[in-house]
């Protein structure tokens, strides 16, 4: 029994090492050392999300002229396609050049205008995450059993985790009031980050004639600046709402602290200045919220893509582990900071 | 900012997405599940209290039963003691009675014997007196004749021995 367990252990280690070596040889580093054909083509990094529907916007975005139009609207299994292209490359000397040219072309794709409407690949991913969350939670809460099953218990553990976290910051009553929004922020960030590690985020896309993905069909929503911004606005509105609700209109005295200077005290100028700083810091939160999540998610996405490019196969698993952690941490930070800001806004500090 | 991907319709889409998700979750997940959790907490609290009460009751009744057992044990002991005393007393009474009876019996027997003896003595005395009187009469009557005198004495003696032999 023990020896067979050991055998399996050695077998697994051997497979992992073999995959690592194979990945290294076939990846970008190995192929440049050994002069081999690369397993994957150089990934194109797009900072702005790519519009996928309607087609005309996508074409404009990708910079296609009309004569290419019929060749690029197939959904592609990029893995299969890239295999094909690698084989093609073996037969055709020009294939490598083509790929690099196309990859460069990707950088020239024009982002959406500020007011242009299109369904972007990040939006699709956020809908996917939304559907997953709704299915999971609504099914989990469907029975409302006093004695819960395993599935309901799992969902309850998640809810109680968030509720307990909120209670530790805000106290029981307040935590229950803000729980829905906080939990939704938390799970939305979390599921968007974690679901992005599913493989079809990488291989579903719109390909050009040489099989390179020009635009992914679905891309982590966190890498779209608008998603963190939307959540940051929700968080901001929530914080201000509770601030006003607990202080009344006096809440704004924190920002417009003219009381002392109007009484003729010259030292009141400091209060005015402090109020101004408070106001700025309140608004800067939106920016910091937005770019924290955006930066983390985008960095994770780029890391996954680049490690896959450099060492395909198994090396990416370690990055996935890291990304699981980052996704959890970011969702906790987003929800936690919102809680802390609510707590600051609702606290009655004496002056 | 558009180079970073800022896009107002996307932003609005995400906001709507969030609000819709929030609404769905509030109605179908948060409220029912949180209320279920609360109900469970309430139920657990009640059950614990009930269990405490039951435990208390059980303790009380156990103590009660124990007290009853002790009480009845004491009572049984008392009854046993009483019975034993009664038996002792009964035995002693019977023994005394038997002794008294025995004494009475011997006394009666003794007095009977005495009475018998007294009557025998008295009878003997009486018969001996008559005999003396008879002898005196005969002596007086037949003083002349020595032979007859002798015969008379023998006769009387004979009579008396036959009477005394009785």
């Amino acid at each position: 029994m023990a020896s067979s367990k050991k055998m399996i252990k050695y077998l697994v280690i051997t497979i992992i090492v073999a995959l690592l070596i194979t990945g290294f040889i076939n990846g970008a580093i190995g192929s440049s050392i050994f002069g081999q054909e690369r397993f994957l083509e150089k990934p194109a990094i797009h900072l702005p999300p790519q519009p996928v529907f309607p087609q005309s916007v996508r074409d404009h975005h990708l910079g296609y002229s009309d004569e290419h139009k019929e060749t690029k609207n197939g959904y592609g299994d990029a893995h299969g396609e890239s295999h094909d292209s690698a084989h093609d490359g073996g037969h055709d000397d020009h294939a490598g050049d083509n790929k690099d040219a196309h990859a460069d072309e990707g950088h020239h794709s024009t982002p959406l205008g500020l007011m242009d409407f299109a369904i972007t690949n990040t939006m699709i991913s956020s809908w996917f995450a939304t559907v997953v969350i709704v299915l999971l939670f609504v099914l989990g809460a469907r029975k409302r059993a006093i004695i819960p099953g395993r599935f309901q218990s799992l969902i309850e553990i998640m809810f109680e985790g968030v509720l307990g976290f909120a209670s530790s910051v805000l106290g029981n009553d307040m935590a229950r009031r803000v729980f829905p929004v906080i939990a939704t922020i938390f799970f939305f960030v979390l599921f968007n980050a974690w679901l992005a590690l599913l493989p079809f985020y990488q291989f579903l896309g719109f390909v050009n004639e040489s099989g390179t993905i020009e635009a992914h069909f679905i891309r982590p929503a966190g890498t779209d600046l608008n998603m963190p911004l939307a959540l940051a606005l929700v968080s901001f509105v929530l914080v201000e709402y509770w601030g006003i609700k607990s202080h009344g209109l006096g809440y704004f005295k924190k920002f417009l602290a003219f009381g002392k200077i109007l009484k003729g005290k010259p030292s009141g100028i400091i209060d005015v200045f402090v109020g101004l700083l408070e106001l700025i810091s309140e608004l800067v939160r939106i920016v910091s919220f937005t770019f924290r999540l955006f930066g983390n998610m985008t960095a994770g996405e780029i890391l996954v893509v680049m490690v896959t490019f450099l060492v395909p196969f198994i090396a990416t698993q370690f990055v996935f582990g890291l990304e699981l952690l980052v996704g959890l941490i970011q969702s906790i930070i987003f929800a936690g900071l919102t809680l802390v800001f609510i707590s600051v806004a609702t606290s009655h500090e004496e002056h | 900012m558009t180079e970073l991907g800022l896009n107002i319709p996307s932003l609005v889409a995400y906001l709507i997405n969030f609000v819709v998700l929030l609404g769905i979750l509030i109605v179908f997940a948060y409220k029912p599940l949180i209320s279920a959790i609360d109900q469970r907490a309430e139920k657990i609290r009640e059950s614990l209290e009930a269990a405490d009460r039951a435990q208390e009751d059980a303790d009380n009744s156990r103590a009660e039963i124990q007290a009853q057992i002790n009480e009845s044990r004491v009572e049984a002991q008392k009854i046993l003691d009483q019975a034993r005393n009664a038996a002792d007393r009964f035995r002693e009474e019977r023994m005394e009675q038997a002794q008294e009876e025995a004494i009475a019996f011997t006394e009666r027997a003794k007095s009977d014997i005495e009475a018998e003896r007294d009557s025998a003595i008295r009878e003997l005395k009486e018969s001996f007196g008559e005999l003396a009187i008879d002898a005196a009469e005969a002596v007086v009557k037949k003083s002349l004749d020595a032979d007859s005198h002798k015969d008379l004495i023998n006769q009387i003696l004979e009579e008396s021995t036959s009477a005394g032999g009785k």
Side-chain angles (χ1 to χ4, degrees):
Chain A
M1 194 60 198
S3 70
S4 74
K5 257 186 190 167
K6 224 174 203 173
M7 279 274 288
I8 290 168
K9 205 166 94 183
Y10 285 135
L11 196 66
V12 168
I13 291 172
T14 314
I15 289 172
I16 288 174
V17 171
L19 279 174
L20 265 178
I21 292 169
T22 321
F24 183 74
I25 291 170
N26 287 297
I29 305 169
S31 62
S32 63
I33 294 172
F34 303 113
Q36 263 178 318
E37 195 59 42
R38 280 181 208 148
F39 181 66
L40 293 171
E41 61 272 22
K42 190 171 157 196
I45 306 294
H46 308 272
L47 218 44
Q50 293 170 300
V52 291
F53 297 109
Q55 199 184 335
S56 58
V57 182
R58 181 170 83 233
D59 291 345
H60 174 71
H61 164 74
L62 294 173
Y64 282 120
S65 47
D66 286 336
E67 64 260 31
H68 287 109
K69 204 165 185 176
E70 66 274 8
T71 57
K72 70 209 167 320
N73 48 16
Y75 293 71
D77 180 337
H79 243 284
E81 297 284 349
S82 60
H83 264 297
D84 287 348
S85 78
H87 284 301
D88 286 345
H91 302 304
D92 185 3
D93 293 337
H94 302 294
D97 298 338
N98 280 348
K99 261 185 276 173
D100 282 350
H102 278 300
D104 287 342
E105 204 177 86
H107 289 294
H108 296 306
S109 58
T110 45
L112 276 177
L114 190 64
M115 298 303 293
D116 291 346
F117 177 77
I119 293 171
T120 60
N121 44 15
T122 48
M123 256 189 235
I124 293 173
S125 115
S126 82
W127 294 340
F128 172 60
T130 306
V131 169
V132 170
I133 294 171
V134 165
L135 279 181
L136 208 60
F137 287 0
V138 170
L139 285 182
R142 188 176 38 122
K143 282 196 207 149
R144 303 154 198 212
I146 291 289
I147 299 164
R150 281 185 202 170
F151 186 45
Q152 193 184 327
S153 290
L154 180 72
I155 305 299
E156 280 181 10
I157 287 168
M158 291 160 108
F159 282 10
E160 285 189 327
V162 175
L163 191 58
F165 181 46
S167 300
S168 71
V169 178
L170 290 177
N172 255 332
D173 286 349
M174 195 63 192
R176 274 167 180 267
R177 270 177 241 157
V178 299
F179 168 74
V181 183
I182 297 295
T184 310
I185 288 176
F186 178 80
F187 291 120
F188 193 61
V189 174
L190 186 72
F191 276 79
N192 267 309
W194 281 4
L195 291 174
L197 301 176
L198 293 173
F200 61 80
Y201 272 69
Q202 297 300 336
F203 67 63
L204 278 185
F206 300 94
V207 298
N208 59 16
E209 63 268 32
S210 68
T212 313
I213 292 181
E214 290 280 339
H216 284 283
F217 175 66
I218 185 165
R219 188 178 120 176
T223 66
D224 180 353
L225 188 67
N226 300 297
M227 188 275 244
L229 183 56
L231 291 186
L233 287 176
V234 168
S235 159
F236 176 78
V237 169
L238 187 69
V239 170
E240 303 312 310
Y241 169 76
W242 281 108
I244 295 168
K245 185 151 188 182
S246 74
H247 291 272
L249 283 177
Y251 179 65
F252 294 107
K253 269 192 266 180
K254 194 161 114 189
F255 309 117
L256 309 168
F258 295 113
K260 226 170 179 183
I261 202 164
L262 287 180
K263 280 179 203 159
K265 287 180 188 164
S267 67
I269 194 86
I270 297 170
D271 283 5
V272 173
F273 197 68
V274 168
L276 204 64
L277 284 183
E278 288 270 8
L279 188 64
I280 291 169
S281 82
E282 204 84 0
L283 294 172
V284 161
R285 276 177 198 168
I286 300 176
V287 180
S288 72
F289 261 137
T290 307
F291 280 97
R292 186 184 304 112
L293 186 56
F294 172 66
N296 271 286
M297 293 297 113
T298 309
E301 170 75 1
I302 291 172
L303 191 61
V304 167
V305 169
M306 288 316 294
V307 169
T308 314
F309 169 62
L310 292 176
V311 184
F313 309 136
I314 205 130
T316 326
Q317 303 308 313
F318 304 112
V319 182
F320 277 178
L322 182 71
E323 282 311 301
L324 282 176
L325 194 65
V326 168
L328 181 63
I329 290 173
Q330 285 309 313
S331 47
I332 289 174
I333 286 178
F334 212 113
L337 279 179
T338 307
L339 285 172
V340 170
F341 291 153
I342 291 172
S343 140
V344 169
T346 52
S347 70
H348 293 261
E349 48 197 307
E350 56 277 0
H351 280 286
Chain B
M1 285 302 270
T2 53
E3 284 297 319
L4 276 175
L6 189 68
N7 179 254
I8 300 299
S10 289
L11 180 64
V12 174
Y14 283 119
L15 281 173
I16 292 170
N17 187 352
F18 184 86
V19 172
V20 169
L21 178 63
L22 180 64
I24 292 174
L25 288 186
I26 285 177
V27 175
F28 292 108
Y30 296 147
K31 279 210 172 135
L33 216 52
I34 292 292
S35 76
I37 289 171
D38 286 348
Q39 272 173 21
R40 184 176 320 131
E42 182 67 20
K43 189 142 194 156
I44 288 172
R45 205 175 53 75
E46 278 172 8
S47 310
L48 283 178
E49 276 173 10
D52 279 349
R53 266 202 307 276
Q55 182 68 44
E56 216 168 274
D57 285 355
D59 285 349
N60 285 346
S61 49
R62 193 181 302 141
E64 232 166 70
I65 288 167
Q66 192 60 48
Q68 272 175 5
I69 287 173
N70 287 343
E71 207 171 284
S72 42
R73 192 173 287 156
V74 168
E75 201 148 320
Q77 194 63 46
K78 210 155 68 187
I79 289 169
L80 210 62
D81 285 349
Q82 276 174 359
R84 202 172 282 147
N85 288 344
D88 283 352
R89 221 169 32 241
F90 181 71
R91 198 178 54 207
E92 275 167 23
E93 269 170 24
R94 291 298 304 223
M95 228 134 99
E96 268 169 34
Q97 206 179 335
Q99 254 165 2
E100 276 167 19
E101 270 173 17
I103 289 168
F105 185 75
T106 42
E107 302 255 299
R108 207 168 50 232
K110 216 184 270 175
S111 67
D112 280 356
I113 289 169
E114 274 171 11
E116 203 80 11
R117 191 192 58 193
D118 289 351
S119 70
I121 289 172
R122 201 168 46 242
E123 263 176 38
L124 197 60
K125 273 182 184 165
E126 276 171 14
S127 56
F128 199 73
E130 278 173 19
L131 189 62
I133 293 167
D134 287 345
E137 270 177 5
V139 171
V140 171
K141 257 187 232 172
K142 296 173 179 181
S143 46
L144 296 171
D145 188 2
D147 287 340
S148 63
H149 196 185
K150 209 179 173 180
D151 290 342
L152 182 66
I153 287 170
N154 281 340
Q155 190 191 339
I156 291 168
L157 275 175
E158 244 168 68
E159 275 174 20
S160 72
T161 43
S162 65
K166 273 197 277 188

